[in-house]
Amino acid sequence: MESIDRTMVGREREQEVLSGFVTAPGGQALVLRGDTGVGKSALLDHVADLAAHEKHRVIRAAGVEAESELPFAGLHQFLYPLLPYIDRLDDTHRGVFDVVFGRSQGPPPSVMTLGIAVLDLLSLAASQKPLLLVLDDGQWLDTSSTEVCGFVGRRLTGSSVKLAVGLRSDLASGFDTAALPHLPVTTLSEKASEQLLDMHHPGLDPRIRRLVLDEALGNPLALLELPPHVLRSGRAAGNREDLVGYTGVPLPLRLRHVYGARIEALGDAVRAELLRGALDGVGAGTAAGRARGTRYRMRDTEEALAAGLLGIDPLSGDFVFRHPLVRSTVVQTATPNERRAAHAVLAHVHRDDVERRAMHLAASTVDPDEAVAAALEAAADSATRRGGSQAAVTWLTRAAELSEGREERSRRLGSAAFIAGHAGLLDRAQQLVGSDTTPGGNDSPASVVASAYGALYDDGDVRTSHRQVTAAIESIRDSGATEPNEVLTRLVNLLLAIDQYASDETSWERTHDLLGSLGDLVSPLSRVYEDAWGDIVRRGAGVAERVERAFADLRALEPWDISRLSVAAYHVDTLSHYRPHLQRTVDREVETGAAVSGITMLHLIMLDQLAVGEWDEAERTGQRGLELAASHHHALFAHHTRAYLGLLAAMRGQVERARELQATVDAWARPRGVGFLTQITD
């Protein structure tokens, strides 16, 4: 316990707060925020020791920079030790965790749905023994996990669960807006700094001692970890001139240099082992409660242990990094070739994990490699199903870079742009289209999906987008395609959406003729959309039954198909049957990145609320949709929502407001040939 006592020098206030945090009745969360090396990890160790003394079960996790785009990577660290309890939950919550752990292909849960399931799981685990969750380096936690942890942290009151999070103050984090109680971790006072330095490095020459105190600026790690030449000078009455490279160097760089010098002195095999551990997120400090077998286990690293870079986890006996800064310094001091070699080893270690393996394969590969590109594409599909649309865009973009053929590169860039567009990232989608530098790449069917998508939703350009999409579909048909494919289906569905907004009978007739010439190349779902959206009077026979059959197999549907089927249900007057499902899933679509589907669902919910006279609820739904559309720069959806709000105002007798909204919508829509009130979005 001596090292723990040293790290608590000058931390009387923090110890008091943490003691109260552990012993307080009921659950709660606390965020510790401070600069690099200021002592956050030591305080998290301290609160873990306090909780263990109070008979709490402690589960620890750490954010890992290399995994910051891996959906739910951080949440898995907390949930893995609790897997035995999942089987005791009801079917609904078990199904949620099956999706998150990739054991089923159901639709991704919303933050609220997953958060409630996690709360129930934690409460069940804590019913036998109070539970403390400790998260270090929270700034590196993936977005999906951060959102769920924030949701859970705000709702721990009344439970026996506590959550402590450590964050670096110089980096933005999703926890910044999580509205959790926080404890600032500041530098030490002059008196405490002197005490800590004298305890850890007694006998320093007074002049060097003064210099160290001045340079450390109260940062505990800077006081504890002194470069060898500083210690030599300090104990041999050296001169300040001997300390070139120490004075005047920014504190974070000086701390990294201390560890970097020790790392460089190690043998090649040991450094390679440390690098593999660092890139796979091996913890720093005590790893109590961390799932064994889910991280790389460093071996034969006693040399690093003797150099003060590693410690031993007292529970597992595994090597762990002494401080998070050691782990990051290991990565930063490695050469690109060394990092690629380490990633290649880790890809083999995680060969049974689709997403983690693909992530490491991508980082280990320089030249085009179709096998790696295919692995990344499979990982992107997995991420999309689990609610990680932003990760999917990143992985598909990398898959395009590693594609060996021009056609595959264009197709993958088009898929990345398509998902980016549905996530409300229109600028990103357009960048991806523009990045297709292959000859004719920007005119490829896959790229047309994204460019026409942007033209429609960003600027309401129904005329240009209709011509683009029609030409792309004709090119696929005339090329002799014999089977449906993903790109063609996306083009067909986009063309149907364009016709919805164009509200032009001639345009619809051309589309029906074109899709008729495609025969079985058009998917059954697209035929449902065509028949329901185009002319329900002439083409609507049996559509209600087809919609019902499609909704019966939700697990097979992508988020955008659920919203499109709901539009079809609106046209056959069965939307009320599916509104409860829409209300349950709209948060998922918004929070997991599928903003377009989310806005469409809000439109549908609002229409059903208007139909049954729930006008106050319809107003709130409309305002939410308008804010969401504006935040994602969806001009088409923003004006579409204003049209519905204007309709609501007219129904309520608010004539002036209705006229004002109508004028705003007409001024934007009429020059573009867009009609809103007679049609609905895709």
Side-chain angles (χ1 to χ4, degrees):
M1 293 297 292
E2 183 182 7
S3 60
I4 295 294
D5 292 337
R6 286 179 176 178
T7 60
M8 290 299 102
V9 169
R11 294 302 185 195
E12 291 77 15
R13 178 183 66 87
E14 289 85 351
Q15 290 184 76
E16 183 178 353
V17 172
L18 294 176
S19 177
F21 169 73
V22 171
T23 58
Q28 56 182 290
L30 184 63
V31 174
L32 285 67
R33 190 177 181 89
D35 295 336
T36 300
V38 81
K40 303 180 297 298
S41 297
L43 288 169
L44 290 175
D45 287 343
H46 179 70
V47 75
D49 288 342
L50 290 175
H53 183 73
E54 293 292 329
K55 308 302 182 185
H56 286 56
R57 179 180 183 180
V58 178
I59 299 178
R60 302 194 66 155
V64 181
E65 186 173 4
E67 297 179 353
S68 58
E69 292 182 342
L70 190 62
F72 300 114
L75 190 61
H76 283 188
Q77 295 183 54
F78 280 142
L79 296 183
Y80 196 90
L82 302 178
L83 281 178
Y85 294 97
I86 291 178
D87 291 336
R88 295 166 56 183
L89 298 172
D90 59 38
D91 292 343
T92 300
H93 286 163
R94 283 202 307 273
V96 168
F97 287 119
D98 284 344
V99 172
V100 172
F101 279 101
R103 297 186 298 200
S104 79
Q105 297 184 3
S110 70
V111 171
M112 181 178 296
T113 301
L114 178 54
I116 291 172
V118 171
L119 281 170
D120 283 356
L121 175 64
L122 295 176
S123 296
L124 180 62
S127 63
Q128 299 176 336
K129 191 175 187 179
L131 185 61
L132 171 67
L133 307 177
V134 178
L135 171 63
D136 203 355
D137 271 347
Q139 71 280 349
W140 298 127
L141 205 66
D142 61 278
T143 301
S144 303
S145 298
T146 300
E147 290 174 343
V148 173
C149 286
F151 178 93
V152 169
R154 293 189 295 272
R155 292 164 174 82
L156 292 176
T157 303
S159 71
S160 299
V161 182
K162 292 183 169 66
L163 169 66
V165 180
L167 298 177
R168 278 175 50 179
S169 57
D170 59 329
L171 295 174
S173 163
F175 285 105
D176 296 344
T177 56
L180 299 178
H182 70 282
L183 171 65
V185 183
T186 59
T187 54
L188 298 177
S189 67
E190 177 73 9
K191 180 179 179 181
S193 297
E194 292 178 348
Q195 183 181 358
L196 181 61
L197 181 62
D198 292 341
M199 287 176 61
H200 203 73
H201 300 293
L204 287 179
D205 178 86
R207 293 172 300 171
I208 303 301
R209 177 179 179 276
R210 183 68 263 164
L211 177 64
V212 170
L213 290 169
D214 291 342
E215 291 290 326
L217 299 173
N219 185 287
L221 193 61
L223 293 165
L224 294 171
E225 302 288 357
L226 299 181
H229 69 287
V230 172
L231 290 174
R232 287 194 299 270
S233 297
R235 288 174 180 151
N239 298 317
R240 296 174 71 103
E241 290 75 13
D242 296 332
L243 303 182
V244 174
Y246 180 76
T247 60
V249 178
L251 184 58
L253 293 179
R254 191 161 69 244
L255 289 170
R256 289 192 177 95
H257 178 72
V258 170
Y259 292 130
R262 299 181 193 174
I263 293 166
E264 291 173 3
L266 299 174
D268 291 345
V270 176
R271 284 193 293 107
E273 195 73 5
L274 294 187
L275 182 57
R276 290 190 284 268
L279 289 173
D280 205 37
V282 169
T286 304
R290 187 174 290 123
R292 296 189 63 177
T294 60
R295 294 289 182 202
Y296 185 80
R297 297 186 68 185
M298 296 183 290
R299 303 176 186 276
D300 301 322
T301 53
E302 287 78 8
E303 184 182 359
L305 180 68
L309 297 168
L310 301 182
I312 299 290
D313 185 325
L315 296 181
S316 68
D318 291 337
F319 290 109
V320 292
F321 292 103
R322 277 193 56 204
H323 191 276
L325 193 59
V326 177
R327 185 173 57 202
S328 62
T329 304
V330 166
V331 176
Q332 290 167 2
T333 56
T335 67
N337 283 338
E338 288 171 340
R339 287 196 292 271
R340 282 192 286 270
H343 281 297
V345 172
L346 294 173
H348 180 72
V349 169
H350 297 294
R351 56 190 174 276
D352 296 327
D353 186 322
V354 172
E355 295 178 21
R356 198 178 295 274
R357 173 178 176 268
M359 181 184 71
H360 287 299
L361 278 176
S364 70
T365 306
V366 176
D367 298 322
D369 187 316
E370 188 58 32
V372 176
L376 279 165
E377 191 169 11
D381 289 341
S382 173
T384 301
R385 288 195 300 269
R386 298 197 300 128
S389 59
Q390 294 190 28
V393 171
T394 299
W395 290 339
L396 281 168
T397 304
R398 180 64 174 142
E401 294 171 354
L402 295 174
S403 298
E404 295 179 351
R406 293 174 177 177
E407 184 177 342
E408 288 300 292
R409 171 185 164 81
S410 291
R411 182 182 64 78
R412 285 162 178 151
L413 281 174
S415 292
F418 176 79
I419 295 173
H422 268 280
L425 306 172
L426 290 183
D427 289 344
R428 177 67 173 144
Q430 293 296 350
Q431 289 171 1
L432 287 164
V433 172
S435 68
D436 192 352
T437 57
T438 57
N442 290 341
D443 298 323
S444 70
S447 293
V448 168
V449 173
S451 59
Y453 192 98
L456 174 65
Y457 290 109
D458 194 27
D459 195 45
D461 189 348
V462 295
R463 299 182 182 95
T464 301
S465 58
H466 195 284
R467 287 195 298 270
Q468 277 185 296
V469 175
T470 297
I473 293 174
E474 289 173 342
S475 72
I476 293 176
R477 179 198 62 191
D478 297 343
S479 69
T482 58
E483 295 181 357
N485 63 70
E486 185 177 59
V487 173
L488 177 60
T489 297
R490 288 172 176 174
L491 285 166
V492 168
N493 291 337
L494 180 54
L495 182 61
L496 293 170
I498 294 167
D499 282 331
Q500 285 262 287
Y501 280 108
S503 299
D504 179 76
E505 184 176 353
T506 302
S507 177
W508 268 114
E509 289 175 355
R510 288 198 299 266
T511 294
H512 290 317
D513 289 343
L514 175 59
L515 300 193
S517 71
L518 294 174
D520 292 339
L521 293 178
V522 178
S523 74
L525 283 180
S526 296
R527 291 295 185 192
V528 172
Y529 311 148
E530 179 189 8
D531 293 342
W533 302 355
D535 189 336
I536 194 62
V537 175
R538 297 179 181 178
R539 309 177 66 93
V543 170
E545 291 77 12
R546 290 154 67 193
V547 170
E548 183 177 2
R549 287 196 298 271
F551 264 114
D553 189 16
L554 282 174
R555 292 179 180 272
L557 299 175
E558 298 285 3
W560 34 86
D561 281 319
I562 293 174
S563 62
R564 290 169 183 151
L565 276 172
S566 299
V567 175
Y570 167 78
H571 283 289
V572 297
D573 201 27
T574 61
L575 178 59
S576 291
H577 299 168
Y578 308 109
R579 180 173 144 195
H581 176 73
L582 289 175
Q583 289 177 316
R584 288 193 301 270
T585 58
V586 67
D587 287 334
R588 178 195 76 202
E589 299 311 301
V590 173
E591 293 163 352
T592 60
V596 172
S597 296
I599 297 171
T600 300
M601 289 180 180
L602 289 173
H603 284 168
L604 290 160
I605 291 169
M606 184 180 183
L607 282 174
D608 200 55
Q609 290 167 334
L610 288 173
V612 298
E614 297 174 358
W615 290 351
D616 289 343
E617 291 83 353
E619 179 78 34
R620 286 192 289 271
T621 301
Q623 290 298 332
R624 183 184 180 192
L626 184 58
E627 292 169 4
L628 187 60
S631 68
H632 285 84
H633 307 291
H634 272 289
L636 181 75
F637 277 170
H639 285 90
H640 193 160
T641 309
R642 291 188 184 97
Y644 287 160
L645 288 169
L647 177 62
L648 173 60
M651 294 171 69
R652 304 180 91 164
Q654 299 169 348
V655 178
E656 289 303 318
R657 183 166 187 255
R659 287 175 175 167
E660 179 183 342
L661 286 166
Q662 180 185 10
T664 300
V665 171
D666 284 351
W668 184 87
R670 286 189 186 278
R672 295 169 169 80
V674 174
F676 285 119
L677 293 182
T678 57
Q679 300 294 338
I680 193 169
T681 65
D682 75 324

